[in-house]
Amino acid sequence: MHLICKRSAIVLACAFVAITFRANTAFAQRDTTAQNVTLPADGKLIDDKPIGQGWTNMLDAQKLNLQPEYWKIANGTLHGDCNDPSQNHYSYSKRIYSDFEANILVKISGDDDANSGVFLRVHPDNFDKAAGYRIDMGKGYWGSLSEEGRAGMLQRYPGRAASRLVKANEYNHYYIKARGHHIEAWLNGVKTIDSDYEGAFLDGNIGFQLARGPKHTTVDIKDFYVRELNL
């Protein structure tokens, strides 16, 4: 009898620990796997332009640092093309931003495993290395948040869910909001990122990546609007 009671106590204790772990995990990282369109008004576009005042169009060679052999601005579109297995190739804002929101229309093409990302608050050493937040673009990674060069993956959005959101070889919309350590992002109207990771930079440049590796990546950005937020 005492043995049965002891085993029952162990089972109950394990169940309590499991429930507590799930609760703590849910509290630390919000579930963003729902497919409901919850896009805020500030993320809505009319004729590919954000509504409201205060938005800055970043698609201007005077506003960006870039390598002209990999990135070009033509007809209002930033075009990146890379087939380099040894290095990344970034383009990023000349200005440093802390709290802001951004509307981005981006198309990624090339090989099946082409990979890129929107980079927030990055601290670039050069055009190959830039540590900071990365909102991913690419098969199996769309809608995810990682920290390049530091913590790695922070919030992974399920690939199957992302495949239902992403329009292949077409423009996809990211609305991003960064306020303090709170990072939110909507992919084609659906929230995929809601993170409060406190180990990341609180300011930095904003830009895009052509990821290195044995793959050909092509990126086109026809909307890149940024608006600073006041605390």
Side-chain angles (χ1 to χ4, degrees):
M1 177 65 72
H2 291 295
L3 182 59
I4 293 174
C5 291
K6 187 174 182 179
R7 287 177 177 171
S8 298
I10 292 172
V11 170
L12 288 173
C14 291
F16 176 79
V17 170
I19 291 170
T20 303
F21 175 77
R22 291 193 191 100
N24 288 339
T25 302
F27 178 78
Q29 187 61 73
R30 299 170 184 85
D31 182 8
T32 58
T33 58
Q35 297 282 298
N36 300 325
V37 174
T38 61
L39 185 68
D42 290 329
K44 294 181 180 177
L45 303 175
I46 297 178
D47 295 329
D48 292 343
K49 291 181 174 56
I51 59 177
Q53 303 297 315
W55 292 98
T56 298
N57 183 3
M58 302 296 293
L59 294 179
D60 181 337
Q62 302 303 312
K63 294 184 175 73
L64 298 175
N65 290 305
L66 51 82
Q67 294 170 286
E69 61 268 39
Y70 295 100
W71 294 94
K72 292 178 173 58
I73 296 178
N75 301 319
T77 297
L78 176 62
H79 175 78
D81 194 314
C82 177
N83 193 11
D84 186 348
S86 63
Q87 290 187 322
N88 297 303
H89 297 282
Y90 290 91
S91 61
Y92 52 88
S93 64
K94 292 182 177 179
R95 278 197 58 189
I96 291 175
Y97 292 87
S98 53
D99 293 342
F100 65 91
E101 56 189 333
N103 272 295
I104 294 165
L105 281 175
V106 58
K107 176 172 63 175
I108 182 170
S109 55
D111 293 344
D112 187 54
D113 58 351
N115 187 268
S116 182
V118 183
F119 277 72
L120 319 177
R121 297 174 176 168
V122 293
H123 289 213
D125 294 329
N126 49 51
F127 286 115
D128 175 40
K129 295 180 180 179
Y133 278 124
R134 167 184 164 129
I135 295 179
D136 278 295
M137 301 184 293
K139 184 178 180 181
Y141 292 97
W142 278 100
S144 299
L145 177 69
S146 60
E147 192 185 25
E148 184 85 1
R150 301 182 80 196
M153 184 60 67
L154 298 174
Q155 186 172 7
R156 184 70 173 266
Y157 191 71
R160 183 174 295 181
S163 67
R164 298 198 296 269
L165 295 178
V166 174
K167 296 173 282 188
N169 298 312
E170 295 184 34
Y171 282 97
N172 291 275
H173 178 216
Y174 264 131
Y175 171 63
I176 300 163
K177 183 177 285 189
R179 190 189 292 274
H181 286 297
H182 192 192
I183 306 297
E184 300 172 275
W186 287 257
L187 173 58
N188 291 332
V190 173
K191 180 178 271 193
T192 67
I193 295 168
D194 197 333
S195 174
D196 290 291
Y197 174 64
E198 295 188 359
F201 299 124
L202 285 172
D203 64 12
N205 308 91
I206 308 171
F208 304 91
Q209 178 201 48
L210 293 169
R212 66 171 175 261
K215 52 184 173 284
H216 182 198
T217 297
T218 302
V219 176
D220 290 286
I221 299 104
K222 70 174 181 178
D223 267 18
F224 180 17
Y225 287 93
V226 174
R227 180 165 68 178
E228 293 186 89
L229 297 173
N230 296 317
L231 291 174

